[in-house]
Amino acid sequence: MKSRLLKLLALLFAFTLIAAACGDDDDDTTTGNDTTDDMDDGDMDDMDDMDDDGHDDDMDDDGHDHDDDMDDMDDMDDMATSLTVTGPERDESEAGAIQEVLGAWGDEHGIEVTYLGSADWEAEINVQVEGGNPPDISIFPQPGKLADFARDGHVVPLNDEAAAATAANWSEAWTVFGNVDGVQYGVPVKADLKSLVWYQPARFAANGYEVPETYDEFAALVDQIAADGNRPLCVGIESGQATGWPFTDWVEDMVLRQHGPDVYDQWVAHDIPFNDERIVSTMQTVLDLWTEDNVFASSGSIAATAFQDNGQPLVDGDCFMHRQASFFSAFMPEGTSFGDGEGEVNVFYFPDINGDRPVLGAGTLAAAFNDNDATMALLAYLSTPDYAEARQISQATRKGGGATLSGFLSAAQGQDPSVYQPLEQSFLDVLATAAIVRFDGSDLMPADVGAGTFWTEGTSAVNGDITAQEAADRIEASWPQ
Amino acid sequence: MQGAILSGEDLSKIFSTLVLIVVAVGASAVLWIGVNLLFNQVRTSWTRFNALAGYAVGFLLLLLLQGNRLLKPHGPDADSITRLGELLWTPLLGALVFSALAVILANNDDRAQRLWIASGSGLLLGGFIGIRLAEDARPELEVLPLLLSTVAIAGISAGIALLRRRAPAPAALIGGALGWLIGGFGVPELGSGSAVESAIAAVVPGLAIGARIGLGKNADMVGRARIDAKSRGAIFLVPALFFVTVSLIAPTLITIWLSLKDEDSVDLVWFENYGSVFTDINSFDVGDWTNIFTSLLFVLGVLVGLGGLAIGLVLRKRTGDGFSAGGPAFAPLMIAMVMIVFGVLSVLRGTIMNNLWWVFTVTVFSTGLGLAIAVLADRAKLESVAKSIIFMPMAISLVGASIIWRLVYVARDTSKSQTGLMNAVWVELGRWSTGSGIPTVLGTVLVWVLVALGVASISRSLTSRTYDKIPLRALATIVLLWIAYRFTFDGIGGFRTNSAGETVPDTIFFVQDQPFNNVWLMVILIWIQTGFAMVIMSAAIKAVPTELIEAAKVDGATESQVFWRVTLPQIRTTIGVVVTTLIVLVMKVYDIVKVVTNGNFGSQVLANDMFEEAFLFSNTGVGAALAVILFASVLPVMVLNIRRMQREA
């Protein structure tokens, strides 16, 4: 009897512990957020404290009140003392560099800044926002998502200082991605250059191939390499939750080339339907290029090959070219050096068709969930070249230093180019000289499409389960009304 | 996140949490013991019980109202001391009034007087509370919903009372009071009504509840004993019911409600979400149903099934027992069923069909294999070792198992050597059967020896007149013969002939090739769940009384007859439990699909779809609808399972 009673009590104890732990959670990440609330209804809260002391059966309420008391003491002025930043970058080198740079800024200003990177950022940010418990700042890889949040009133516009800093540090080609209905919400913090083809110059020279200047030359080169009994391209689109995105990048790059930036913008904004014949024909162009003879897929099929696994075969010589973004340097095998020498890897610009040199870019944007002074000050800092340089240095060191590429790139104006390696400087040149920059379209489309059907139906089309027309029809049907 | 050293803030947080726990546990225990002590008074001193119970009810009721600021406060300028006083004296006053009323009623046996006292004071108290309601809690009454909900709930209550063979009037009164409260306070916006309206909203329930109490006669000794006995059950039940409501029933109802709303949970769209699930080609694609009849699996399944049917019919004519479990017709019919279901479900595609396929395959194979292993290992040498090995996958998490199997299924470019076990074997088999070296010769000999063994087993059955074993052996021999033929002449395994006419290796994309990639995913769950089925079934087999088995053996039954005719009927209920448990588990399959394909390549299942809709695409409505579909399809099986367990207990 006695031991049963004890067990029962222990169970009760454990349960209460869990309940209490759950109940206490929410002031960790939203210090900045709470401030304004507390200022507004501080009196009311005090009243609640009094009230709750009167009855002793409602323990959860008491727990919250303790927290509120602490917040009141912490946040006597309008400056939060701790900020939480979340984002999708969670590699040790990336997350570590962000934490180091933000932490250093925080130390200077007496603010504790914590960066939390998560592979499941997309799902988590939804849950946090819907649960009323968002971070202070989040780094968005998709402007479409940022726009959704901005229109729903979840993220707040930049204040004047932060907006001015952003406008001063980034060209309009980039700030426009953080602009929703004429109001600046996002600060660009990272830029990726997607219209690149990775190759080994020495192997090109050994086989007598030349870097193509036009898309026709590129297509001819592909045919020639295949005719020589080699595989011209490495393609793999497997990427866990995001399987299919390299296909969408190809399609976007090709839409930009075949039909120009105007059609691209209409397509992304859904002014023309997704299954417009021009888009379908572009999807077909990509699929036609990816034949068995043209593509080396290290896992047998394109849909099964992880996008990260394309670096090794390129270095090994299983394929000659790999169209992938600037950040792919991070996925090259360890010890790969970049340049034109034997065994070294370099990039060329994915050639255009109409001579207008369009560039497909991508990147991340930081946006705030509250307008606390500290939050806005941090956003203003994120837009500066100082941040870009500090992060580049920290990330390159974490990757191994020396000639290794960091995988980070920023288009902030006024950066000291010497912090970048020569190859990275050439990326910056492409970014600087590009007349037409377009953001990765799937990141601009609604999540249902851009992070949903465009990936999944595209994967089905690549896998040969459905045709390009069927895929486009299904994607169009899934576009939210 | 960073640094393991606890700061002072952390420590104080831990300390306050600990204090909170101690207080919470203490308060809960005191409350619970107090209620028990209170009901101890029922038999010994009825008046004291009523006084205390009235006191508690009054105190809690007014504390709830005052504590939530539903009663008119002293005014916005009142200082906190006044408010604290108000919070104390209002409940105290209410407690005293209720207590006095309860004592009066407890000592009055006159029915008319009781009715007058109770309903009168109910009226007064209701009116008082209604007038004192805070302005932002006053409802603007809408006549129609008010009357509708009152009549409806009163009617339902009376109906239930009638069904339980009780008097309907008291139940109708309580139901009416509840309905009036819901109709009055639940439907319209609060804060826009007048004091009169809130008085009306509160008077009627007060009157009804008072009348209900007044109608009941004062409990005699028998009645008090019954209250005492019944209250114990309630006291034990209420905490559990509270947590079940908060953690299970409320979320279920909210999910159903959300499934009727749009993606932002704002507008009511009724069944549009369900409609969109069934019109989405990715979740429900039966357009190609005519292809069923040209599917090889289906056609072969029908042929095998017809064969089994013929054998069964002939046997029934001869011996009167054609279709019993374990008989000659049993194996062909089972195989035919699996083939036909596979044939149908490989043509009808979509998330819902995938779930059905999962449920069928994993349940049938896990149960079947589990049973087979349990029987074969029973009383065998090294039984515990064998069973431990089969059971071991149960210890691996679904995600871990999925990663392991993904590596097993991996295919690599055919110019490289295969690292995935399955493809390595498959491609090597292709090399053997198409090559000309010693392995090819050995392989050819081996397959034909196997065919010879099959033929030998059939002829042995013929000579020993155990005809019932022939169908299964014949089926196996036909399959072996086909393999041997292919191995010798065309070659079998991972190879193909390329455009230049050379034979080159070819891999199978276990994870990418539709629709049978689904089956390869199911294998993972079968691998895990067979151990579970085996352990449960093994325990049941061991529980079959040995007398029964010995008696059957004395009567001349063979081992297989003992199994099919004695053991199997004895463990039938256990099989039922295993099957229903597996169905519920498989219905919810998520991890494996998430890890291996993430729903790509036509392998989407309901649970993963639900996650993606709700949390990635923010389509709360569709996500909730999928959750409800999942819930509704699991529910009947759960009910069946629970009822069976209750019957057994």
Side-chain angles (χ1 to χ4, degrees):
Chain A
M1 251 336 256
K2 226 171 198 174
S3 73
R4 260 196 212 171
L5 191 71
L6 273 177
K7 271 184 202 163
L8 196 76
L9 278 178
L11 209 73
L12 203 66
F13 183 80
F15 182 80
T16 326
L17 200 83
I18 293 163
C22 294
D24 256 9
D25 229 340
D26 53 3
D27 83 319
D28 289 337
T29 49
T30 56
T31 324
N33 228 7
D34 282 353
T35 326
T36 46
D37 291 348
D38 285 353
M39 297 304 281
D40 288 346
D41 51 17
D43 295 327
M44 301 292 263
D45 279 355
D46 287 347
M47 283 306 153
D48 266 348
D49 290 356
M50 293 297 194
D51 290 352
D52 286 339
D53 291 343
H55 62 109
D56 51 9
D57 54 343
D58 208 346
M59 283 308 131
D60 262 26
D61 279 1
D62 280 0
H64 278 290
D65 293 337
H66 287 296
D67 294 341
D68 289 349
D69 290 345
M70 278 181 196
D71 284 349
D72 286 347
M73 278 177 253
D74 287 346
D75 308 319
M76 289 309 275
D77 57 19
D78 202 25
M79 198 82 169
T81 55
S82 68
L83 292 175
T84 304
V85 183
T86 67
E89 289 156 301
R90 49 112 197 211
D91 264 15
E92 202 287 317
S93 60
E94 293 174 324
I98 297 175
Q99 177 65 54
E100 184 186 324
V101 176
L102 297 190
W105 178 86
D107 290 345
E108 228 171 83
H109 294 77
I111 297 168
E112 196 185 326
V113 185
T114 313
Y115 174 75
L116 299 172
S118 162
D120 244 350
W121 174 86
E122 288 217 338
E124 277 171 21
I125 195 72
N126 280 338
V127 174
Q128 286 171 339
V129 166
E130 271 162 34
N133 192 21
D136 297 301
I137 293 174
S138 201
I139 296 174
F140 291 74
Q142 296 155 355
K145 183 104 188 162
L146 174 62
D148 286 349
F149 274 2
R151 295 202 179 98
D152 292 346
H154 295 310
V155 294
V156 297
L158 301 182
N159 70 5
D160 293 343
E161 290 94 71
T166 306
N169 291 320
W170 288 75
S171 72
E172 211 206 318
W174 287 94
T175 55
V176 70
F177 303 127
N179 194 310
V180 183
D181 304 330
V183 181
Q184 192 71 25
Y185 285 89
V187 175
V189 288
K190 180 172 176 258
D192 290 318
L193 178 58
K194 294 211 163 188
S195 303
L196 292 177
V197 180
W198 296 80
Y199 76 116
Q200 280 187 298
R203 291 190 61 233
F204 261 50
N207 287 278
Y209 303 144
E210 278 181 16
V211 171
E213 291 291 329
T214 67
Y215 184 77
D216 288 341
E217 285 179 32
F218 177 79
L221 178 63
V222 166
D223 290 343
Q224 192 192 342
I225 296 175
D228 292 350
N230 289 314
R231 241 83 71 90
L233 296 168
C234 270
V235 187
I237 62 168
E238 199 276 337
S239 180
Q241 176 73 52
T243 294
W245 70 260
F247 173 71
T248 67
D249 277 10
W250 267 88
V251 172
E252 288 153 12
D253 235 346
M254 288 306 293
V255 169
L256 209 48
R257 275 158 182 71
Q258 289 185 328
H259 309 300
D262 292 338
V263 173
Y264 184 88
D265 291 339
Q266 290 164 9
W267 172 54
V268 168
H270 206 223
D271 292 334
I272 59 172
F274 201 104
N275 52 358
D276 186 278
E277 59 179 330
R278 287 169 290 192
I279 307 300
V280 176
S281 86
T282 302
M283 287 170 79
Q284 194 58 51
T285 310
V286 175
L287 294 176
D288 288 344
L289 194 65
W290 290 2
T291 61
E292 210 165 314
D293 291 337
N294 282 351
V295 170
F296 178 88
S298 57
S299 294
S301 75
I302 293 172
T305 304
F307 86 96
Q308 306 96 311
D309 291 350
N310 289 307
Q312 189 70 50
L314 184 75
V315 172
D316 291 349
D318 290 317
C319 65
F320 276 77
M321 293 182 284
H322 178 52
R323 194 219 74 99
Q324 190 51 278
S326 54
F327 60 72
F328 197 72
S329 59
F331 299 103
M332 286 293 172
E334 218 165 297
T336 307
S337 58
F338 299 93
D340 291 336
E342 186 68 37
E344 291 185 327
V345 172
N346 208 336
V347 296
F348 62 80
Y349 168 73
F350 186 44
D352 58 13
I353 294 173
N354 302 322
D356 48 3
R357 278 184 84 79
V359 165
L360 187 69
T364 55
L365 296 152
F369 290 90
N370 61 61
D371 59 357
N372 187 280
D373 289 348
T375 310
M376 286 301 160
L378 181 54
L379 276 185
Y381 171 67
L382 282 171
S383 76
T384 60
D386 295 345
Y387 165 76
E389 286 166 15
R391 175 158 174 208
Q392 161 66 12
I393 292 166
S394 169
Q395 195 159 321
T397 314
R398 277 159 200 277
K399 283 271 181 195
T404 32
L405 300 192
S406 67
F408 174 79
L409 197 66
S410 169
Q413 292 162 342
Q415 295 178 92
D416 174 11
S418 68
V419 298
Y420 290 100
Q421 294 300 315
L423 183 65
E424 292 167 327
Q425 290 175 18
S426 70
F427 299 160
L428 289 177
D429 288 343
V430 174
L431 280 178
T433 56
I436 301 166
V437 179
R438 284 297 177 274
F439 206 91
D440 187 331
S442 59
D443 294 340
L444 297 168
M445 295 172 186
D448 306 54
V449 177
T453 48
F454 198 5
W455 287 349
T456 55
E457 303 298 346
T459 303
S460 296
V462 172
N463 205 38
D465 302 326
I466 52 177
T467 64
Q469 182 69 50
E470 280 171 327
D473 290 344
R474 291 186 189 186
I475 298 168
E476 172 61 23
S478 75
W479 200 292
Q481 303 306 314
Chain B
M1 273 281 140
Q2 289 186 326
I5 304 152
L6 292 169
S7 69
E9 197 183 329
D10 291 335
L11 280 176
S12 76
K13 207 173 248 180
I14 290 169
F15 182 71
S16 71
T17 309
L18 281 177
V19 169
L20 185 72
I21 290 162
V22 171
V23 173
V25 171
S28 314
V30 166
L31 195 71
W32 196 76
I33 293 167
V35 176
N36 264 309
L37 289 176
L38 175 67
F39 278 89
N40 282 349
Q41 309 285 326
V42 172
R43 281 176 204 254
T44 50
S45 44
W46 177 240
T47 309
R48 197 194 295 166
F49 165 74
N50 271 287
L52 288 172
Y55 190 92
V57 169
F59 190 85
L60 284 178
L61 178 68
L62 283 162
L63 185 70
L64 268 179
L65 289 171
Q66 188 75 53
N68 287 307
R69 299 162 193 235
L70 295 175
L71 289 189
K72 209 182 269 178
H74 261 304
D77 305 330
D79 58 30
S80 43
I81 300 293
T82 320
R83 288 199 176 202
L84 183 63
E86 196 174 47
L87 187 71
L88 281 176
W89 70 254
T90 327
L92 276 177
L93 192 71
L96 289 174
V97 172
F98 273 76
S99 180
L101 268 173
V103 170
I104 293 170
L105 287 174
N107 291 306
N108 194 328
D109 285 336
D110 185 289
R111 302 195 65 169
Q113 277 182 25
R114 281 176 65 83
L115 185 58
W116 279 116
I117 296 169
S119 43
S121 37
L123 186 95
L124 284 177
L125 283 171
F128 175 75
I129 291 173
I131 291 167
R132 291 286 298 165
L133 269 189
E135 268 162 32
D136 54 2
R138 285 177 184 161
E140 191 179 10
L141 294 184
E142 288 172 37
V143 180
L144 195 63
L146 182 68
L147 292 182
L148 265 182
S149 90
T150 309
V151 171
I153 299 183
I156 291 170
S157 310
I160 292 173
L162 277 175
L163 280 178
R164 297 179 64 203
R165 291 158 202 274
R166 301 272 167 78
L173 278 174
I174 294 289
L178 192 67
W180 190 276
L181 279 176
I182 292 174
F185 290 95
V187 177
E189 287 286 310
L190 291 182
S192 49
S194 65
V196 178
E197 277 174 309
S198 75
I200 292 173
V203 155
V204 175
L207 181 66
I209 293 169
R212 164 69 186 92
I213 294 169
L215 274 178
K217 55 179 198 289
N218 198 12
D220 53 8
M221 282 317 284
V222 180
R224 289 173 207 178
R226 217 175 60 210
I227 292 175
D228 186 25
K230 280 197 166 177
S231 65
R232 304 299 161 178
I235 292 167
F236 275 91
L237 210 56
V238 163
L241 272 182
F242 172 75
F243 286 114
V244 167
T245 310
V246 168
S247 63
L248 200 70
I249 296 173
T252 308
L253 294 178
I254 291 171
T255 306
I256 293 173
W257 178 234
L258 286 178
S259 76
L260 302 176
K261 295 183 139 194
D262 67 353
E263 57 176 36
D264 299 321
S265 311
V266 179
D267 299 323
L268 209 53
V269 296
W270 296 108
F271 294 98
E272 206 174 276
N273 291 322
Y274 294 91
S276 78
V277 168
F278 282 95
T279 49
D280 180 1
I281 198 160
N282 282 327
S283 45
F284 198 68
D285 178 15
V286 294
D288 294 333
W289 64 274
T290 46
N291 289 355
I292 291 173
F293 305 110
T294 54
S295 138
L296 188 65
L297 263 176
F298 182 80
V299 173
L300 281 180
V302 169
L303 286 180
V304 173
L306 287 177
L309 208 62
I311 295 171
L313 287 174
V314 169
L315 276 179
R316 192 163 68 181
K317 217 170 228 175
R318 288 213 183 141
T319 65
D321 175 26
F323 295 100
S324 64
F330 183 69
L333 284 177
M334 281 310 214
I335 293 169
M337 177 181 76
V338 171
M339 288 172 83
I340 290 173
V341 171
F342 271 47
V344 170
L345 288 175
S346 61
V347 173
L348 305 181
R349 305 299 313 130
T351 311
I352 291 166
M353 292 299 161
N354 278 345
N355 260 65
L356 289 178
W357 202 359
W358 272 88
V359 167
F360 174 81
T361 312
V362 176
T363 311
V364 165
F365 280 89
S366 284
T367 318
L369 285 173
L371 183 61
I373 293 164
V375 172
L376 294 177
D378 196 36
R379 282 164 300 175
K381 257 190 216 167
L382 295 176
E383 180 189 349
S384 56
V385 176
K387 289 206 304 200
S388 305
I389 291 172
I390 305 283
F391 189 67
M392 235 176 254
M394 279 287 282
I396 302 175
S397 74
L398 286 171
V399 172
S402 306
I403 292 172
I404 294 172
W405 278 88
R406 200 168 64 170
L407 292 173
V408 170
Y409 290 149
V410 134
R412 295 189 68 212
D413 192 272
T414 46
S415 60
K416 311 275 171 190
S417 60
Q418 296 298 321
T419 54
L421 179 69
M422 302 279 280
N423 268 311
V425 169
W426 183 244
V427 167
E428 202 55 34
L429 192 64
R431 280 217 185 92
W432 280 15
S433 62
T434 55
S436 55
I438 293 169
T440 312
V441 177
L442 285 179
T444 316
V445 172
L446 183 73
V447 285
W448 285 107
V449 165
L450 283 174
V451 172
L453 281 177
V455 174
S457 76
I458 296 176
S459 54
R460 212 177 61 194
S461 303
L462 282 171
T463 51
S464 65
R465 292 164 187 268
T466 46
Y467 298 116
D468 54 341
K469 287 178 179 162
I470 290 179
L472 192 57
R473 288 177 177 178
L475 264 178
T477 309
I478 290 170
V479 173
L480 277 174
L481 190 67
W482 180 77
I483 293 175
Y485 175 83
R486 287 288 306 271
F487 192 96
T488 318
F489 297 105
D490 306 336
I492 193 168
F495 72 92
R496 73 191 157 90
T497 314
N498 68 4
S499 48
E502 302 159 326
T503 302
V504 292
D506 193 21
T507 50
I508 298 179
F509 300 119
F510 291 97
V511 176
Q512 282 84 27
D513 278 349
Q514 294 189 43
F516 289 99
N517 56 350
N518 284 294
V519 178
W520 297 112
L521 298 188
M522 293 168 203
V523 166
I524 304 173
L525 196 55
I526 295 171
W527 181 67
I528 292 175
Q529 287 302 327
T530 299
F532 162 77
M534 176 202 70
V535 166
I536 309 273
M537 235 94 80
S538 184
I541 288 172
K542 293 209 184 300
V544 174
T546 38
E547 299 85 42
L548 284 176
I549 294 168
E550 275 164 15
K553 281 187 178 164
V554 167
D555 287 346
T558 63
E559 276 287 341
S560 77
Q561 279 172 332
V562 168
F563 171 71
W564 292 107
R565 306 275 170 89
V566 181
T567 312
L568 199 65
Q570 288 282 317
I571 62 169
R572 211 164 48 198
T573 47
T574 311
I575 295 177
V577 171
V578 169
V579 165
T580 42
T581 312
L582 280 175
I583 289 177
V584 172
L585 180 127
V586 180
M587 207 70 195
K588 299 179 294 187
V589 64
Y590 166 75
D591 323 47
I592 293 173
V593 173
K594 174 90 180 159
V595 172
V596 182
T597 65
N598 199 20
N600 278 315
F601 318 117
S603 66
Q604 187 69 290
V605 288
L606 281 174
N608 195 40
D609 202 11
M610 170 182 83
F611 170 80
E612 289 188 347
E613 288 290 348
F615 297 111
L616 290 181
F617 309 148
S618 318
N619 290 342
T620 314
V622 177
L626 285 164
V628 173
I629 291 173
L630 201 56
F631 175 69
S633 48
V634 171
L635 203 60
V637 190
M638 283 301 286
V639 169
L640 206 71
N641 207 359
I642 289 168
R643 289 182 73 159
R644 194 197 304 274
M645 282 200 299
Q646 280 173 338
R647 226 181 14 242
E648 263 164 47

